[in-house]
Amino acid sequence: MSEHDTIAAIATPPGRGAIAIVRCSGPAARDIAGRVFRSRAPLLDRVATYGSIVDAAGQRIDRGLAIAMDAPRTVTGEDLVELHIHGSPITARETLNGLLAAGARLAEPGEFTRRGFLNGKLDLSAAEAVADLIAAESRAAAHAAAANLNGGLRRLVDSARDALRTILEELAGAIDFPDEVPAPDPGDVHARVATVAQALAALSRDGERGRLLREGFSLAIVGPPNAGKSSLLNALVGEERAIVSAQAGTTRDTIEESFAIDGVLVRAIDTAGLRSSADAVERLGMERARAALAAAALALIVVDGAAPLEAPARDVLRATRERARIVFFNKRDAGSIGYDARETPEAGALWGSTFDPASIATIREAIAQAGWRSERIDATRPYLGGARHVQAVEAARRALELALETLAAGAPVDLIAGDLAAASAALGEITGGAVTEELLDGIFARFCIGK
Amino acid sequence: MTNHGRPCAAPKSGAMNEHSSPADDAQVIVVGGGHAGVEAAAAAARLGAATILVSGDPLRIATLACNPSIGGSAKGQLVREIDALGGVMAQLIDATALHARFLNESKGPSVRALRALADKPAYARAAQSLLAGKPNLRVVAAMAEDLVVEGGAIRGVVTADGAFLRARCVVLATGTFLGAKTFRGADVAAEGRFGEAPALGMSAALGRLGFPLARLKTGTPPRIDRTSVDVAQLSEQAPSPTPLPFSYRSPARFAGPQLPCWIALTNERTHDLVRQNLSRSPLYGLDLIRGIGPRYCPSIEDKVVKFAHNPTHQIFIEPEGWDEPTWYVGGFSTSLPADVQLEMLRTLPGCADVVMLRAGYAVEYDFVTPTELDPSLETRRVAGLFHCGQLNGTSGYEEAAAQGLIAGINAAHRALGRPALRLGRETSYIGTMIDDLVTKGVDEPYRMLTSRAEHRVVLRHDNADLRLTPIGHELGLIPDAEFAAFTARRNALKDAREAAERTRIGPTCIRTAVFGAGATLADALRRPELSFADVAGLFPRPIDPAIGERAHIEIAMEGYVRRAEAAIAQAAGDEAKTIPPAFAYVAIDQLSREAREKLERVRPRTLGAAARIPGLTPADIAVLRVMLHRIRQSIPA
Ligand SMILES: Cc1cc2nc3c(=O)[nH]c(=O)nc-3n(C[C@H](O)[C@H](O)[C@H](O)COP(=O)(O)OP(=O)(O)OC[C@H]3O[C@@H](n4cnc5c(N)ncnc54)[C@H](O)[C@@H]3O)c2cc1C
Ligand SMILES: Nc1nc2c(ncn2[C@@H]2O[C@H](COP(=O)(O)OP(=O)(O)OP(=O)(O)O)[C@@H](O)[C@H]2O)c(=O)[nH]1
Ligand SMILES: [Mg+2]
């Protein structure tokens, strides 16, 4: 809660707009943003710079603009960097995660405004308004968090905390009452801490699943021009959303539309057909198509199955070989020209027609299968409810890793108590509860102590 | 005992400043000569304030009312800190210890702690003669029964014989004596502790001033005749073979011989007796006691009832002095009738014919809610009035002494027009305890525990002097000569650390540890399996083992200390944001009603302290931060 650290948050309202803005404010704003945003030109004060948003592995998440604003002439009165990216919640979330991983802290409710106020950026009379805002936002956040704390998650977090608290009780009991409470065995403690750390790591991974249910599943429809991509989008959505025409290069910009399968929101992006072209506008569209392809969880490759397989189709098929995809050979009604097997080594490729409801049903099935019906994603398992929760679980897991290192090095047991308490406190942010008091209650309930 | 100090510091000299008037009897009056009062009086006098210690019976000053033990986990750190700051408890116990042991040696340097048993009468005598020799200090034998307050400020105390002692600062250190009652079965007596009258008027006086009072309870076990026990049937606990003084200033050897202690186990017969007689217990069957007792110090009744599945409980039999006839029966605290106590004792191994010299009892007493206090231990209600020790809801000699020292310093400082001393949680167990008391209050007797000290990695037994001696010297409690010894120690420690980092030892093998070519002595000291003694010979110049051990701890703890310091630095901003004493929380609509009430009651001194008040949410603190900022901006600096 210090004002000397750097905070980050998604500034645009949740839901899908044309662009999303992710903000980062504080002394390290430029450094931290610099680890997420790559551009050829340096970031100048108050100048928009075009570049890529990359994840921790250096993989591009999106392209967009970065605007750095140096203190004190900013809304927060601190160094501020805004990243303007495409308006998909997933991209915005990944960008935010990148900033958090690079050292920013997730902003508290109303914290940007509060910092602005504290740095003299707002009128004094605004204090009331800021306080109102904080109170209201925290009430809303509390409701949201409570709604998010599905029974399964609560049980998981509680059982991790209980396990840590039991260890802490044993440690504290042995330290404060050495004549009465035996010291726990370090090997045993190591095994128990490791178990909790693994459970948290799994929970963290399952954060993905929570995100899927919250934010939907992204699907990029790509392929050469005129393959029937827009027709497929319309068929999946059930309305004429995208313009369809016999002319190649009809779709110039990405078009996003959602529909549901299994109750999961699928956010499908229709893209411009991919081919080599001299047309500048068309090339821009294709660049967007590639970005959408990179960001999507699943690619749906559409190829005209009634015509010989030409270079653009081959290129797309080759380029997407390594990623999660579904290949659909379209226009079967127009008669297959009978590709020879050598040319279409696409095992599991689907054949059909966007005009045929049975083909659409098959494709829906395939999306669910590839997307979430696998073992990895099971909507009935508990999941983490938001970035704050994910961050808390991650903080807890990191603290436990430190404790495990300490134990593995053979250092005395007291040195892990701080890390275990920190982990327990981080988890307490999800479910509530004060560490010290709970700990003492536990010690006195479990051990008969006192001379 | 009733000397008046040297002429230069006599109370009525011209040295008094605006905070006192020539008509005053003293600048500071300390009420109660327990462990809190002794430290308070000694510190105030040492700082140059003309001081009077008013205590019921001067021969009972510094009585160890319960067990003979000083120190132990977390409490031992308190004693070290008292010493480093210039208090007296450590030197008193060093001079009178008859059994000392280091605890938690294998559990980590941050929780290592010293515990010693005192020769109880010798301890009290040592304290009394120390006070008798103090310039500026006068001891008055009387019970203080009333407080005189004018215009919201203390003016003095009135004793039972009607005398009015005037001073601008009063430190209350009345221990378990306020409205106290003792219990042995159905026998209820008005006693502050065994054989001493309670203080009845003082509770009423505090109540009239508006202080909220509540009841707590504690108890003590029976004492037995040491000649009536067959120790062959008990397991012996030997004292440490090497002398282990608490004080940095004490000679490195104990004054008297070291004695063993014994451990006995209770059995089903003991427990049956407890169960059969619960109807005669003032706590259970008779239901006479309303005060809340300490969970970490349960009576044997509590143990048998609440831990019914434990087939046996440990009992620690400890001598109360070299020449004392009594042994203390630790872990056997009880308020059952005396006849039952004797029967129960006789079920213990080696105690078939034991003679009970004094029955155990419970005592119930008033305490004043410590959220009434500023961290300087001055009450917010009455200017110049300080509370310390058991009166604040704590229990234990060390807790009392630590608060007494702070209250004594601050009373003297107020009288002498100097700024208050407030120790933060990151400086000490003392600061941690006081912050807990004034921000959280107490609902059971408060004992210092390592788990309460989140910064304990830096609050160690070994480094108390580094943390506090510069402050003690600055205050004027640590004489120049002792400070010079401290700086020499600090330099030697720094040299030893540097030598360890510089000195290459590898490639080599020490015990089971293997080192590569670039390895240094410091690398060796970072290995948990090696001790300082294992590498002492490798230092380029011989190192005093005491310094070497400390260098070892610092090197081994370095990474953990760095992390702890980063956390402390993070919190420092809020700890520095003070809240005006009269801040109107009620007027902040954005705070929940509960938060407003809590803040009004506790009146935290800083934003950091506010955040520690149980039940306040991060949003409450954020709102408070904003509102405070508005105030700061609207009040011209
Ligand atoms: C029966 C009993 C059991 C205890 N058990 C435990 C235990 O299990 N664990 C533990 O940690 N601690 C225990 N203690 C507590 C320990 O003794 C105290 O915590 C510690 O001594 C408190 O120190 P103090 O300075 O606050 O007060 P005390 O040591 O109680 O000293 C108070 C002094 O003030 C004097 N005094 C009081 N009122 C007045 C007045 N109005 N005017 C003048 N003089 C006054 C008294 O004569 C006394 O000398 C027990 C105490 C008792 C009596
Ligand atoms: N026969 C047949 N024609 C189809 C089928 N699906 C789409 N078409 C036609 O193929 C043509 C191109 O369809 P679009 O959906 O615009 O193709 P696209 O891939 O979006 O094309 P671009 O946006 O230009 O890249 C249109 O004339 C469609 O009617 C199909 O299953 N069978
Ligand atoms: Mg199209």
mmCIF file of all heavy atoms in Angstrom, chain B residues 597-633:
data_model
loop_
_atom_site.group_PDB
_atom_site.id
_atom_site.type_symbol
_atom_site.label_atom_id
_atom_site.label_comp_id
_atom_site.label_asym_id
_atom_site.label_seq_id
_atom_site.Cartn_x
_atom_site.Cartn_y
_atom_site.Cartn_z
ATOM 1 N N GLU B 597 -15.854 3.982 15.041
ATOM 2 C CA GLU B 597 -15.847 3.740 16.492
ATOM 3 C C GLU B 597 -14.485 3.246 16.955
ATOM 4 O O GLU B 597 -13.952 3.704 17.959
ATOM 5 C CB GLU B 597 -16.911 2.699 16.852
ATOM 6 C CG GLU B 597 -18.292 3.312 16.946
ATOM 7 C CD GLU B 597 -19.390 2.256 17.046
ATOM 8 O OE1 GLU B 597 -19.056 1.054 17.184
ATOM 9 O OE2 GLU B 597 -20.566 2.648 16.971
ATOM 10 N N LYS B 598 -13.931 2.314 16.180
ATOM 11 C CA LYS B 598 -12.627 1.767 16.573
ATOM 12 C C LYS B 598 -11.567 2.855 16.568
ATOM 13 O O LYS B 598 -10.746 2.946 17.485
ATOM 14 C CB LYS B 598 -12.215 0.660 15.614
ATOM 15 C CG LYS B 598 -12.982 -0.601 15.887
ATOM 16 C CD LYS B 598 -12.404 -1.783 15.153
ATOM 17 C CE LYS B 598 -13.025 -3.054 15.707
ATOM 18 N NZ LYS B 598 -13.282 -4.054 14.694
ATOM 19 N N LEU B 599 -11.574 3.675 15.535
ATOM 20 C CA LEU B 599 -10.558 4.722 15.432
ATOM 21 C C LEU B 599 -10.731 5.752 16.544
ATOM 22 O O LEU B 599 -9.750 6.234 17.116
ATOM 23 C CB LEU B 599 -10.642 5.385 14.054
ATOM 24 C CG LEU B 599 -10.109 4.508 12.916
ATOM 25 C CD1 LEU B 599 -10.607 4.993 11.567
ATOM 26 C CD2 LEU B 599 -8.581 4.486 12.939
ATOM 27 N N GLU B 600 -11.970 6.070 16.880
ATOM 28 C CA GLU B 600 -12.204 7.018 17.976
ATOM 29 C C GLU B 600 -11.651 6.451 19.279
ATOM 30 O O GLU B 600 -11.086 7.166 20.101
ATOM 31 C CB GLU B 600 -13.711 7.287 18.153
ATOM 32 C CG GLU B 600 -14.309 8.222 17.112
ATOM 33 C CD GLU B 600 -13.896 9.676 17.316
ATOM 34 O OE1 GLU B 600 -13.424 10.038 18.406
ATOM 35 O OE2 GLU B 600 -14.034 10.466 16.348
ATOM 36 N N ARG B 601 -11.845 5.153 19.464
ATOM 37 C CA ARG B 601 -11.425 4.533 20.711
ATOM 38 C C ARG B 601 -9.900 4.446 20.793
ATOM 39 O O ARG B 601 -9.295 4.808 21.785
ATOM 40 C CB ARG B 601 -12.046 3.137 20.824
ATOM 41 C CG ARG B 601 -11.889 2.521 22.168
ATOM 42 C CD ARG B 601 -12.967 1.466 22.491
ATOM 43 N NE ARG B 601 -13.878 1.148 21.424
ATOM 44 C CZ ARG B 601 -13.788 0.056 20.659
ATOM 45 N NH1 ARG B 601 -12.809 -0.799 20.842
ATOM 46 N NH2 ARG B 601 -14.673 -0.185 19.718
ATOM 47 N N VAL B 602 -9.278 3.976 19.729
ATOM 48 C CA VAL B 602 -7.841 3.701 19.778
ATOM 49 C C VAL B 602 -7.014 4.960 19.508
ATOM 50 O O VAL B 602 -5.941 5.137 20.066
ATOM 51 C CB VAL B 602 -7.485 2.593 18.754
ATOM 52 C CG1 VAL B 602 -5.991 2.381 18.676
ATOM 53 C CG2 VAL B 602 -8.201 1.311 19.131
ATOM 54 N N ARG B 603 -7.517 5.842 18.657
ATOM 55 C CA ARG B 603 -6.794 7.052 18.267
ATOM 56 C C ARG B 603 -5.340 6.731 17.907
ATOM 57 O O ARG B 603 -4.405 7.143 18.597
ATOM 58 C CB ARG B 603 -6.831 8.109 19.379
ATOM 59 C CG ARG B 603 -8.230 8.550 19.703
ATOM 60 C CD ARG B 603 -8.332 10.027 20.030
ATOM 61 N NE ARG B 603 -9.620 10.522 19.549
ATOM 62 C CZ ARG B 603 -9.801 11.115 18.383
ATOM 63 N NH1 ARG B 603 -8.783 11.330 17.588
ATOM 64 N NH2 ARG B 603 -10.995 11.506 18.008
ATOM 65 N N PRO B 604 -5.142 5.978 16.837
ATOM 66 C CA PRO B 604 -3.773 5.609 16.454
ATOM 67 C C PRO B 604 -2.945 6.858 16.174
ATOM 68 O O PRO B 604 -3.477 7.850 15.702
ATOM 69 C CB PRO B 604 -3.976 4.789 15.178
ATOM 70 C CG PRO B 604 -5.292 5.251 14.648
ATOM 71 C CD PRO B 604 -6.132 5.550 15.845
ATOM 72 N N ARG B 605 -1.676 6.758 16.465
ATOM 73 C CA ARG B 605 -0.810 7.922 16.291
ATOM 74 C C ARG B 605 -0.373 8.096 14.841
ATOM 75 O O ARG B 605 -0.064 9.189 14.416
ATOM 76 C CB ARG B 605 0.419 7.769 17.179
ATOM 77 C CG ARG B 605 0.769 8.987 17.997
ATOM 78 C CD ARG B 605 2.038 8.741 18.775
ATOM 79 N NE ARG B 605 3.187 8.679 17.889
ATOM 80 C CZ ARG B 605 3.829 9.745 17.436
ATOM 81 N NH1 ARG B 605 3.470 10.936 17.813
ATOM 82 N NH2 ARG B 605 4.870 9.607 16.629
ATOM 83 N N THR B 606 -0.318 6.978 14.130
ATOM 84 C CA THR B 606 0.128 7.053 12.742
ATOM 85 C C THR B 606 -0.814 6.229 11.862
ATOM 86 O O THR B 606 -1.582 5.396 12.353
ATOM 87 C CB THR B 606 1.541 6.463 12.563
ATOM 88 O OG1 THR B 606 1.480 5.070 12.889
ATOM 89 C CG2 THR B 606 2.555 7.151 13.457
ATOM 90 N N LEU B 607 -0.700 6.471 10.575
ATOM 91 C CA LEU B 607 -1.500 5.705 9.622
ATOM 92 C C LEU B 607 -1.121 4.220 9.687
ATOM 93 O O LEU B 607 -1.970 3.348 9.585
ATOM 94 C CB LEU B 607 -1.266 6.264 8.217
ATOM 95 C CG LEU B 607 -2.253 5.823 7.161
ATOM 96 C CD1 LEU B 607 -3.661 6.251 7.519
ATOM 97 C CD2 LEU B 607 -1.855 6.396 5.809
ATOM 98 N N GLY B 608 0.180 3.959 9.885
ATOM 99 C CA GLY B 608 0.642 2.573 9.999
ATOM 100 C C GLY B 608 -0.033 1.866 11.165
ATOM 101 O O GLY B 608 -0.472 0.725 11.060
ATOM 102 N N ALA B 609 -0.127 2.564 12.306
ATOM 103 C CA ALA B 609 -0.773 1.966 13.479
ATOM 104 C C ALA B 609 -2.256 1.753 13.192
ATOM 105 O O ALA B 609 -2.834 0.734 13.579
ATOM 106 C CB ALA B 609 -0.574 2.851 14.710
ATOM 107 N N ALA B 610 -2.876 2.690 12.491
ATOM 108 C CA ALA B 610 -4.297 2.549 12.173
ATOM 109 C C ALA B 610 -4.539 1.264 11.394
ATOM 110 O O ALA B 610 -5.505 0.544 11.631
ATOM 111 C CB ALA B 610 -4.784 3.755 11.376
ATOM 112 N N ALA B 611 -3.617 0.967 10.476
ATOM 113 C CA ALA B 611 -3.788 -0.217 9.634
ATOM 114 C C ALA B 611 -3.721 -1.502 10.447
ATOM 115 O O ALA B 611 -4.188 -2.537 10.006
ATOM 116 C CB ALA B 611 -2.728 -0.238 8.535
ATOM 117 N N ARG B 612 -3.144 -1.443 11.647
ATOM 118 C CA ARG B 612 -3.033 -2.650 12.466
ATOM 119 C C ARG B 612 -4.217 -2.845 13.406
ATOM 120 O O ARG B 612 -4.296 -3.843 14.097
ATOM 121 C CB ARG B 612 -1.733 -2.614 13.274
ATOM 122 C CG ARG B 612 -0.503 -2.896 12.442
ATOM 123 C CD ARG B 612 0.733 -3.043 13.301
ATOM 124 N NE ARG B 612 1.123 -1.792 13.916
ATOM 125 C CZ ARG B 612 1.894 -0.886 13.352
ATOM 126 N NH1 ARG B 612 2.363 -1.079 12.150
ATOM 127 N NH2 ARG B 612 2.209 0.222 13.980
ATOM 128 N N ILE B 613 -5.119 -1.902 13.447
ATOM 129 C CA ILE B 613 -6.265 -2.062 14.338
ATOM 130 C C ILE B 613 -7.135 -3.195 13.794
ATOM 131 O O ILE B 613 -7.523 -3.170 12.637
ATOM 132 C CB ILE B 613 -7.076 -0.755 14.421
ATOM 133 C CG1 ILE B 613 -6.206 0.335 15.023
ATOM 134 C CG2 ILE B 613 -8.345 -0.954 15.237
ATOM 135 C CD1 ILE B 613 -6.843 1.708 15.024
ATOM 136 N N PRO B 614 -7.400 -4.201 14.628
ATOM 137 C CA PRO B 614 -8.153 -5.344 14.115
ATOM 138 C C PRO B 614 -9.510 -4.888 13.565
ATOM 139 O O PRO B 614 -10.197 -4.081 14.183
ATOM 140 C CB PRO B 614 -8.351 -6.230 15.347
ATOM 141 C CG PRO B 614 -7.323 -5.785 16.338
ATOM 142 C CD PRO B 614 -7.053 -4.352 16.051
ATOM 143 N N GLY B 615 -9.861 -5.394 12.388
ATOM 144 C CA GLY B 615 -11.173 -5.099 11.825
ATOM 145 C C GLY B 615 -11.192 -3.944 10.849
ATOM 146 O O GLY B 615 -12.185 -3.742 10.161
ATOM 147 N N LEU B 616 -10.118 -3.162 10.779
ATOM 148 C CA LEU B 616 -10.095 -2.090 9.785
ATOM 149 C C LEU B 616 -9.677 -2.664 8.428
ATOM 150 O O LEU B 616 -8.756 -3.461 8.361
ATOM 151 C CB LEU B 616 -9.130 -0.966 10.205
ATOM 152 C CG LEU B 616 -9.858 0.264 10.760
ATOM 153 C CD1 LEU B 616 -10.640 -0.096 11.998
ATOM 154 C CD2 LEU B 616 -8.883 1.372 11.073
ATOM 155 N N THR B 617 -10.371 -2.248 7.368
ATOM 156 C CA THR B 617 -10.089 -2.814 6.049
ATOM 157 C C THR B 617 -9.125 -1.914 5.283
ATOM 158 O O THR B 617 -8.974 -0.734 5.630
ATOM 159 C CB THR B 617 -11.375 -2.916 5.223
ATOM 160 O OG1 THR B 617 -11.826 -1.570 4.962
ATOM 161 C CG2 THR B 617 -12.460 -3.672 5.945
ATOM 162 N N PRO B 618 -8.499 -2.444 4.248
ATOM 163 C CA PRO B 618 -7.623 -1.610 3.417
ATOM 164 C C PRO B 618 -8.363 -0.388 2.877
ATOM 165 O O PRO B 618 -7.791 0.687 2.749
ATOM 166 C CB PRO B 618 -7.203 -2.548 2.293
ATOM 167 C CG PRO B 618 -7.314 -3.916 2.875
ATOM 168 C CD PRO B 618 -8.455 -3.855 3.841
ATOM 169 N N ALA B 619 -9.652 -0.549 2.570
ATOM 170 C CA ALA B 619 -10.406 0.594 2.051
ATOM 171 C C ALA B 619 -10.543 1.673 3.133
ATOM 172 O O ALA B 619 -10.418 2.865 2.841
ATOM 173 C CB ALA B 619 -11.781 0.148 1.571
ATOM 174 N N ASP B 620 -10.769 1.258 4.373
ATOM 175 C CA ASP B 620 -10.840 2.239 5.466
ATOM 176 C C ASP B 620 -9.542 3.035 5.529
ATOM 177 O O ASP B 620 -9.545 4.251 5.711
ATOM 178 C CB ASP B 620 -11.047 1.533 6.822
ATOM 179 C CG ASP B 620 -12.419 0.875 6.928
ATOM 180 O OD1 ASP B 620 -13.357 1.393 6.306
ATOM 181 O OD2 ASP B 620 -12.535 -0.147 7.625
ATOM 182 N N ILE B 621 -8.445 2.320 5.393
ATOM 183 C CA ILE B 621 -7.147 2.985 5.506
ATOM 184 C C ILE B 621 -6.939 3.921 4.312
ATOM 185 O O ILE B 621 -6.404 5.024 4.460
ATOM 186 C CB ILE B 621 -6.010 1.934 5.588
ATOM 187 C CG1 ILE B 621 -6.219 1.054 6.821
ATOM 188 C CG2 ILE B 621 -4.643 2.604 5.644
ATOM 189 C CD1 ILE B 621 -6.357 1.797 8.131
ATOM 190 N N ALA B 622 -7.404 3.493 3.137
ATOM 191 C CA ALA B 622 -7.273 4.348 1.959
ATOM 192 C C ALA B 622 -8.080 5.630 2.137
ATOM 193 O O ALA B 622 -7.614 6.729 1.823
ATOM 194 C CB ALA B 622 -7.737 3.594 0.715
ATOM 195 N N VAL B 623 -9.273 5.500 2.670
ATOM 196 C CA VAL B 623 -10.109 6.683 2.923
ATOM 197 C C VAL B 623 -9.403 7.595 3.926
ATOM 198 O O VAL B 623 -9.303 8.809 3.731
ATOM 199 C CB VAL B 623 -11.492 6.251 3.476
ATOM 200 C CG1 VAL B 623 -12.237 7.451 4.038
ATOM 201 C CG2 VAL B 623 -12.309 5.577 2.378
ATOM 202 N N LEU B 624 -8.872 6.986 4.965
ATOM 203 C CA LEU B 624 -8.194 7.754 6.001
ATOM 204 C C LEU B 624 -6.987 8.496 5.425
ATOM 205 O O LEU B 624 -6.738 9.663 5.736
ATOM 206 C CB LEU B 624 -7.732 6.775 7.079
ATOM 207 C CG LEU B 624 -7.408 7.344 8.441
ATOM 208 C CD1 LEU B 624 -8.577 8.152 8.965
ATOM 209 C CD2 LEU B 624 -7.086 6.192 9.403
ATOM 210 N N ARG B 625 -6.288 7.815 4.541
ATOM 211 C CA ARG B 625 -5.099 8.406 3.925
ATOM 212 C C ARG B 625 -5.487 9.686 3.180
ATOM 213 O O ARG B 625 -4.847 10.726 3.304
ATOM 214 C CB ARG B 625 -4.513 7.381 2.951
ATOM 215 C CG ARG B 625 -3.199 7.768 2.313
ATOM 216 C CD ARG B 625 -2.858 6.801 1.179
ATOM 217 N NE ARG B 625 -2.830 5.407 1.585
ATOM 218 C CZ ARG B 625 -1.788 4.835 2.147
ATOM 219 N NH1 ARG B 625 -0.683 5.515 2.353
ATOM 220 N NH2 ARG B 625 -1.836 3.572 2.497
ATOM 221 N N VAL B 626 -6.574 9.592 2.445
ATOM 222 C CA VAL B 626 -7.022 10.742 1.663
ATOM 223 C C VAL B 626 -7.465 11.883 2.577
ATOM 224 O O VAL B 626 -7.096 13.043 2.384
ATOM 225 C CB VAL B 626 -8.172 10.303 0.728
ATOM 226 C CG1 VAL B 626 -8.885 11.517 0.166
ATOM 227 C CG2 VAL B 626 -7.629 9.436 -0.387
ATOM 228 N N MET B 627 -8.231 11.540 3.606
ATOM 229 C CA MET B 627 -8.742 12.585 4.479
ATOM 230 C C MET B 627 -7.615 13.255 5.262
ATOM 231 O O MET B 627 -7.630 14.458 5.495
ATOM 232 C CB MET B 627 -9.789 12.006 5.438
ATOM 233 C CG MET B 627 -11.001 11.455 4.727
ATOM 234 S SD MET B 627 -11.564 12.499 3.366
ATOM 235 C CE MET B 627 -13.089 13.100 4.001
ATOM 236 N N LEU B 628 -6.640 12.450 5.656
ATOM 237 C CA LEU B 628 -5.486 13.007 6.375
ATOM 238 C C LEU B 628 -4.746 13.982 5.492
ATOM 239 O O LEU B 628 -4.270 15.025 5.925
ATOM 240 C CB LEU B 628 -4.516 11.889 6.756
ATOM 241 C CG LEU B 628 -4.854 11.129 8.004
ATOM 242 C CD1 LEU B 628 -3.874 9.988 8.170
ATOM 243 C CD2 LEU B 628 -4.782 12.068 9.197
ATOM 244 N N HIS B 629 -4.663 13.606 4.232
ATOM 245 C CA HIS B 629 -3.940 14.451 3.301
ATOM 246 C C HIS B 629 -4.626 15.796 3.166
ATOM 247 O O HIS B 629 -3.989 16.838 3.115
ATOM 248 C CB HIS B 629 -3.864 13.763 1.946
ATOM 249 C CG HIS B 629 -2.891 14.396 1.040
ATOM 250 N ND1 HIS B 629 -1.545 14.157 1.154
ATOM 251 C CD2 HIS B 629 -3.038 15.291 0.054
ATOM 252 C CE1 HIS B 629 -0.910 14.873 0.249
ATOM 253 N NE2 HIS B 629 -1.807 15.572 -0.425
ATOM 254 N N ARG B 630 -5.933 15.755 3.163
ATOM 255 C CA ARG B 630 -6.671 17.003 3.047
ATOM 256 C C ARG B 630 -6.339 17.897 4.239
ATOM 257 O O ARG B 630 -6.083 19.079 4.092
ATOM 258 C CB ARG B 630 -8.167 16.719 3.011
ATOM 259 C CG ARG B 630 -8.949 18.003 2.870
ATOM 260 C CD ARG B 630 -10.391 17.745 2.677
ATOM 261 N NE ARG B 630 -10.974 17.121 3.859
ATOM 262 C CZ ARG B 630 -12.289 17.027 4.043
ATOM 263 N NH1 ARG B 630 -13.116 17.458 3.135
ATOM 264 N NH2 ARG B 630 -12.760 16.468 5.128
ATOM 265 N N ILE B 631 -6.335 17.264 5.420
ATOM 266 C CA ILE B 631 -6.027 18.040 6.612
ATOM 267 C C ILE B 631 -4.642 18.657 6.509
ATOM 268 O O ILE B 631 -4.434 19.825 6.770
ATOM 269 C CB ILE B 631 -6.032 17.134 7.849
ATOM 270 C CG1 ILE B 631 -7.386 16.515 7.984
ATOM 271 C CG2 ILE B 631 -5.584 17.901 9.066
ATOM 272 C CD1 ILE B 631 -7.971 16.672 9.324
ATOM 273 N N ARG B 632 -3.692 17.821 6.088
ATOM 274 C CA ARG B 632 -2.318 18.293 6.039
ATOM 275 C C ARG B 632 -2.200 19.479 5.088
ATOM 276 O O ARG B 632 -1.451 20.393 5.310
ATOM 277 C CB ARG B 632 -1.389 17.154 5.617
ATOM 278 C CG ARG B 632 -0.201 17.030 6.531
ATOM 279 C CD ARG B 632 0.567 15.758 6.266
ATOM 280 N NE ARG B 632 -0.122 14.609 6.830
ATOM 281 C CZ ARG B 632 -0.296 13.469 6.176
ATOM 282 N NH1 ARG B 632 0.126 13.326 4.944
ATOM 283 N NH2 ARG B 632 -0.900 12.467 6.751
ATOM 284 N N GLN B 633 -2.984 19.414 3.997
ATOM 285 C CA GLN B 633 -2.883 20.513 3.040
ATOM 286 C C GLN B 633 -3.587 21.766 3.522
ATOM 287 O O GLN B 633 -3.193 22.871 3.180
ATOM 288 C CB GLN B 633 -3.488 20.074 1.709
ATOM 289 C CG GLN B 633 -2.613 19.051 1.038
ATOM 290 C CD GLN B 633 -2.866 18.978 -0.447
ATOM 291 O OE1 GLN B 633 -3.922 19.356 -0.914
ATOM 292 N NE2 GLN B 633 -1.881 18.505 -1.175
#
